[in-house]
Amino acid sequence: QNEILERKIKVLEKENGEMNQRIQDFLLTIHELQSVKNDGGAASGYNEDLLQQQKEEVDVLRRVISESQADIRSLEQELKRSNEVVFDLKRKLKLSEDEKTSFEKELQDWRDKYKSQARELKDAVNKQKIVMDQCTDLSDQLMKQQTKVKELTREVRNKEEEIVDQQRAVD
């Protein structure tokens, strides 16, 4: 859009230059015609008509130039506003990119932390499994020992009963 405005401004400036040149040419012709008239030569009706026509054309060209200059000022203001908008958008884009970079860094930090915690959890689960296996083994051993203790206790009772029976028999 800025390029379009700049091209319009250049075109209008070129047209203004051309119109100014035409005005200068007309003014020179008018001046020459007035000189001829003032030098004592009788200006013919043709010269006066030509003089009047050129004056009118100069007035028209001056109005066109004035309008063109107003258009140029308007386009320059629009170009300035567009440049300000572009500058503001570039600033916002930079801020957004900085924020994105910050978020990406924070996300990577969270990912690293997650991976670390996942490894720690896996290690803890493995250790817990080992401990559970050891507990199961110990529980099995304890049950075996309890069974042995019961058997030995039964044997001791049986032996005590035999001893008591043998003592009665001896008495």
Side-chain angles (χ1 to χ4, degrees):
Q1 185 181 8
N2 288 348
E3 293 175 11
I4 294 171
L5 293 175
E6 288 173 0
R7 275 188 252 131
K8 282 183 180 180
I9 290 171
K10 286 180 183 178
V11 167
L12 288 173
E13 286 175 345
K14 182 180 176 185
E15 287 177 4
N16 275 348
E18 291 171 357
M19 288 182 199
N20 279 329
Q21 183 60 44
R22 286 178 65 189
I23 287 173
Q24 292 302 319
D25 292 345
F26 285 132
L27 289 175
L28 184 60
T29 304
I30 290 170
H31 182 67
E32 288 173 359
L33 290 174
Q34 285 178 342
S35 292
V36 168
K37 185 177 179 182
N38 290 338
D39 285 343
S44 67
Y46 171 76
N47 284 343
E48 285 182 22
D49 288 342
L50 181 61
L51 182 63
Q52 184 61 32
Q53 184 182 12
Q54 287 186 346
K55 283 181 180 180
E56 289 172 2
E57 195 166 337
V58 165
D59 289 339
V60 168
L61 288 174
R62 284 187 176 152
R63 278 193 303 273
V64 168
I65 286 174
S66 176
E67 290 171 4
S68 294
Q69 287 174 338
D71 288 345
I72 288 173
R73 281 191 297 279
S74 171
L75 289 172
E76 284 174 341
Q77 288 173 352
E78 189 175 336
L79 178 61
K80 182 180 177 185
R81 283 191 301 271
S82 294
N83 285 336
E84 289 170 356
V85 168
V86 167
F87 177 77
D88 189 48
L89 289 174
K90 284 181 180 179
R91 183 184 57 79
K92 286 179 180 177
L93 178 64
K94 170 107 174 67
L95 289 174
S96 295
E97 287 172 347
D98 291 346
E99 189 174 352
K100 176 187 171 202
T101 301
S102 174
F103 283 143
E104 286 174 343
K105 183 183 180 304
E106 188 175 345
L107 177 63
Q108 188 59 44
D109 290 346
W110 281 105
R111 284 181 179 156
D112 293 344
K113 187 176 180 180
Y114 170 77
K115 285 179 185 178
S116 174
Q117 288 178 343
R119 277 192 298 270
E120 289 174 9
L121 178 62
K122 186 177 179 181
D123 291 345
V125 167
N126 287 337
K127 286 179 183 177
Q128 183 182 16
K129 187 176 179 183
I130 291 170
V131 168
M132 290 299 293
D133 288 345
Q134 289 174 346
C135 283
T136 302
D137 289 346
L138 287 174
S139 178
D140 289 346
Q141 288 177 1
L142 179 63
M143 288 185 58
K144 287 178 185 176
Q145 291 299 323
Q146 285 175 342
T147 304
K148 267 189 177 180
V149 166
K150 284 181 184 177
E151 284 178 16
L152 289 173
T153 303
R154 224 178 285 130
E155 276 183 38
V156 167
R157 248 186 280 140
N158 288 340
K159 291 286 180 185
E160 284 176 351
E161 285 177 11
E162 278 181 31
I163 291 176
V164 169
D165 284 343
Q166 284 179 358
Q167 277 182 347
R168 278 189 208 150
V170 171
D171 284 335

